[in-house]
Amino acid sequence: DEAAARKVRLIVTTFDENNRVVGYRYLVLSDDAVQPQQVLPFDVTLTSSTPNVARFAVVAEALKVQ
């Protein structure tokens, strides 16, 4: 089921080698409606207070347009 979305957000979380969270970044991509298959380009700069970043995960979230 495809539907337009609004309030599109990204959360990027960084982890150390023991899978502990060492940082995150919250990014607003769009507050307006985004259509299915629409592309939203983005850049994220990750900086960390620790040099121990082993991996990162990116999660997108949004609300369905009613």
Side-chain angles (χ1 to χ4, degrees):
D1 180 34
E2 292 188 354
R6 62 185 179 86
K7 296 191 180 260
V8 180
R9 311 289 191 256
L10 286 183
I11 300 95
V12 182
T13 308
T14 55
F15 302 89
D16 67 10
E17 62 279 351
N18 294 314
N19 237 14
R20 292 181 296 223
V21 173
V22 293
Y24 75 95
R25 177 68 57 129
Y26 179 84
L27 179 69
V28 176
L29 290 186
S30 177
D31 282 326
D32 299 324
V34 177
Q35 298 304 312
Q37 306 302 317
Q38 182 178 341
V39 176
L40 290 174
F42 66 92
D43 289 317
V44 177
T45 300
L46 298 174
T47 57
S48 178
S49 60
T50 176
N52 300 328
V53 175
R55 69 179 190 87
F56 65 92
V58 180
V59 176
E61 63 181 15
L63 298 175
K64 184 178 180 180
V65 172
Q66 298 295 325

